[in-house]
Each structure stands twice: as structure tokens, then as C-alpha cells.
Amino acid sequence: MITHIVGNRPQFIKLAPLYHAIEAAGYQQNIIHSGQHYDENMSDIFFEELGIPAPYVNLSAGGGSHAQVTAKAMIGLEEELSEKRPALVILYGDTNTTLAGAVTASKLGIPIAHVEAGPRTHIKTNPEECNRIVTDHLSDILFCPDAVSLENCKREGLGEKACLTGDIMYDTYRSIARRREKDEAVEEEEEPVLMTWHRQENTSDKERMEAVLNLVERLGSRVLCPLHPRTKKCLSRFGLLERAKAIPNLEIMEPVGYGEMVRLMNRARLILTDSGGVSKESSFAGAKCLFMLNLDIWEDLMREDWLHRVDPTDEKSVEEALAFAKKAKRVAPKDRPGYYGDGHAAEKMVRALEENGLIG
């Protein structure tokens, strides 16, 4: 038995193609949901539209501090993994769920594969950086999404267990985009800006949230924002929800499934986000990206000025971002960055697991 451990939407997206590839290869598998992030609109719909079965258990580990979430997930995982004794645990990305899975499985002597291994911000105060480093060092095989991530692993002495597979999110993106192309209605002439906004750094402070709203208003262009439940709660708590609704060029939407998100990305001329995953996916979609975090997580995209950082609280940074946004146009497929593989990462991962004796 192979056990996948997931806890949020980006992990469901990464899970889907690998689950299908493992299923095609004939291996038994199951899914544990830590419950780190849970909202019906943000969770259940993903399993349905990605064609993967519901997790057999939800550990309800969400809520509380980083330590509390990690501890609750570890307690639940220890019970499940001790009972089921899978031959392999597969972890995804860099959440507290990922960290909990790595520590628990390693202490139980269960081999670990880490999908999306090797990205580094080189800022150890960043919680996700801590999770990535610990998980990479505890895992038995590392699946790197790009060449920079592979080099990071080599620098940390992990080169022998690291494989360059390409980015598994691109597998899902290509699959969904092709499906959507067949059903796509006539496009609107306007190419809007797509916004996602959820990170703690941008939602825990009233002044910061006001600065983000000011940036959106100054963009001028039509901005579509599927609003994360957490962000909506923070806007309400700070008395800013009506201010957000009053911005003429901002259209607030309910959270959307991944298929709809792909459709929106494929229409956008620019993406404004604080999501590491969405900032990378902008290169799949052909829409350049304004990134609202002071992190250099996708170094190739930063170097190419595909991904441009903006600090909404800094006037000079905002002015530079507005100039970047004004020039942004959709980019044809042949001119998009090609750092993240060919869309067959899942198949390469299954082969690597077999060749390394971790399954089979």
C-alpha cells in the first residue's frame, strides 16, 4: 500500500496525476487528508473534478498555530500509519502537513517520497522553508520540479536521492487546460487581471490589507479575485470588506475549482498573487505575474522578469509594479518559460520509484 498525505488545495492538484499514474501501474494506494485547510468549496470539489477518490480519513488538524497544527497532524498520522503500515508515504510541497508526515513516517521507519523537493527561499524564518528543508533531508527520494531545485538538493548533500522530473502541477494544468479548450465559450475581448490573495503576511495586518486594496484600485484594469475564505474573514474583521466591494475595477468572486481557475488564468493578461504555486503556474498560462511576497522562490522566473515582486506598502515598489503591469500582455505558448518539464512528471516519478526499489 502507498499512502498519500495531503492537506490543502495545491497538494490535491499535485496528487492527482501521480495517483492516476500509480493506479495505471497497478499499485494499491490510499489518501490521508490532514484537514489542515478545510472548506467544502476549497476542498471537496477538487477531489471530484480531478477524478481522485475521497481520502479514507480526515484528521481535522486545522486551526491553531504552526506547532498546534503540526502536532495534531502528527498524532493522527502516527495512529493511521502504525495501523496501516504502508510500504511508502508520498508527501507534497511544504506545508505543516508535509512536515508532520515526514517526521512521523521517518520515526516509524516508513520510506518517504517528496514531490516538489528542492525549492529554497534561503530565508529560514519562512515557515515553509523550514518544512521543505526538514522534509527533504528525511525523505528517501526527492522529486525536483526544476533544475534550480535539483542544484539546491545537491548543495545540501542530497544529490544521490534527487531526481529531476519536472513539475507535477504542470501535468494537471495541461490536462485541465486541454479539457477546457474543448468546452470553452467565446472569449471576452478584454483580458483581465487575475488576483489570488491569502497568505498570512498579507492578511494579518489592517494596514497591509489596505495597501493591497490600494494597489488593486491603482491597477485600473478589471481585476477578478476568487476570494479565499480566510481573506474574506480578515477583511471583515478589519472593517475592510465594504471598502473592497466598492472598488470599481475589482470583481470579488466565490472560491472556484481548479478547472475554473485554469480557465481564468488562461484568459488573464497579468496575475497578481501571493501564492507560490500560482506564481509558478503563471508561466504555464502565459500571463506575467506580480508577486506580493518578498521571496525569491522561483529563481528562473525572477531572473527572466516574468515574476516581478511588489511590496504594496512601498510607494516606489508600487510604481514599478504599475509600470510592469501596464506593459503586461498575454504571451504565446512558444514564448513562455519552459523550466518545469514536459507535462509527464508523474510517469517519471513512478519509474523512479520502481527503479529505486521503493515500489514493485
Side-chain angles (χ1 to χ4, degrees):
M1 179 66 72
I2 298 165
T3 294
H4 306 263
I5 299 173
V6 291
N8 70 0
R9 294 207 307 175
Q11 291 175 335
F12 309 154
I13 297 164
K14 295 164 191 166
L15 159 67
L18 186 51
Y19 188 96
H20 293 313
I22 290 172
E23 185 177 50
Y27 299 105
Q28 290 188 318
Q29 51 190 328
N30 60 21
I31 302 169
I32 295 176
H33 189 338
S34 73
Q36 179 176 336
H37 294 166
Y38 191 78
D39 178 280
E40 187 170 343
N41 286 341
M42 301 289 286
S43 183
D44 291 356
I45 188 174
F46 271 62
F47 291 99
E48 295 170 14
E49 71 177 348
L50 294 172
I52 48 180
Y56 80 89
V57 64
N58 186 313
L59 302 179
S60 301
S65 67
H66 286 282
Q68 289 168 331
V69 170
T70 306
K72 285 187 284 186
M74 287 178 66
I75 291 168
L77 287 170
E78 183 180 50
E79 182 177 341
E80 294 298 329
L81 297 178
S82 296
E83 180 183 340
K84 297 290 194 293
R85 298 302 306 185
L88 177 71
V89 160
I90 302 180
L91 304 174
Y92 298 82
D94 55 16
T95 67
N96 291 328
T97 295
T98 312
L99 174 64
V103 174
T104 305
S106 64
K107 286 180 178 290
L108 292 172
I110 300 171
I112 302 166
H114 186 202
V115 175
E116 200 179 78
R120 295 289 185 267
T121 62
H122 310 291
I123 302 172
K124 287 191 178 179
T125 54
N126 174 246
E128 290 78 17
E129 183 83 342
C130 301
N131 296 344
R132 281 189 291 267
I133 291 171
V134 172
T135 301
D136 283 347
H137 282 262
L138 290 178
S139 295
D140 296 272
I141 190 166
L142 305 175
F143 297 134
C144 300
D146 59 4
V148 172
S149 298
L150 180 64
E151 288 305 310
N152 289 335
C153 289
K154 289 178 178 178
R155 277 196 294 270
E156 294 175 22
L158 305 175
E160 289 187 4
K161 60 180 183 179
C163 310
L164 179 60
T165 58
D167 196 296
I168 201 162
M169 291 185 79
Y170 188 38
D171 291 26
T172 306
Y173 192 97
R174 283 194 354 148
S175 173
I176 295 288
R178 287 174 175 173
R179 202 183 313 162
R180 282 276 168 173
E181 282 174 7
K182 296 177 183 178
D183 304 327
E184 191 69 9
V186 176
E187 291 285 2
E188 298 178 25
E189 290 184 11
E190 182 186 11
E191 295 175 345
V193 175
L194 177 63
M195 178 184 188
T196 77
W197 178 20
H198 77 284
R199 288 290 292 263
Q200 181 177 340
E201 294 92 326
N202 287 321
T203 57
S204 59
D205 177 85
K206 181 178 180 179
E207 287 70 28
R208 182 79 177 185
M209 295 196 85
E210 284 182 309
V212 172
L213 292 175
N214 290 338
L215 170 61
V216 170
E217 193 164 26
R218 291 177 68 180
L219 280 171
S221 301
R222 182 182 176 212
V223 178
L224 304 179
C225 181
L227 195 61
H228 194 286
R230 182 177 182 278
T231 308
K232 186 175 183 180
K233 287 178 184 176
C234 292
L235 286 168
S236 296
R237 184 168 75 245
F238 293 132
L240 294 173
L241 187 56
E242 293 308 312
R243 155 87 171 105
K245 290 179 178 178
I247 295 175
N249 59 309
L250 176 61
E251 294 184 28
I252 294 175
M253 309 164 60
E254 289 297 313
V256 298
Y258 189 62
E260 179 63 11
M261 188 64 180
V262 168
R263 188 184 77 84
L264 292 173
M265 285 192 281
N266 280 342
R267 287 176 52 206
R269 70 173 183 85
L270 178 73
I271 294 175
L272 173 66
T273 187
D274 56 9
S275 163
V278 172
S279 65
K280 176 180 58 184
E281 287 176 299
S282 71
S283 69
F284 309 162
K288 291 193 175 183
C289 179
L290 281 175
F291 189 50
M292 297 186 291
L293 284 179
N294 187 28
L295 299 175
D296 292 346
I297 193 167
W298 307 118
E299 295 179 25
D300 285 326
L301 295 182
M302 295 292 297
R303 190 179 305 112
E304 196 167 311
D305 202 30
W306 183 279
L307 196 162
H308 183 93
R309 278 203 315 263
V310 56
D311 178 355
T313 66
D314 181 88
E315 179 60 25
K316 181 180 178 184
S317 178
V318 169
E319 288 178 359
E320 291 173 351
L322 293 175
F324 179 87
K326 187 175 182 180
K327 294 186 294 183
K329 297 179 181 178
R330 287 200 55 76
V331 177
K334 65 181 180 64
D335 297 321
R336 296 172 191 174
Y339 300 119
Y340 302 106
D342 57 6
H344 297 281
E347 298 161 30
K348 295 172 185 175
M349 290 176 188
V350 173
R351 285 200 299 271
L353 291 172
E354 290 175 332
E355 290 168 1
N356 286 273
L358 292 168
I359 59 174

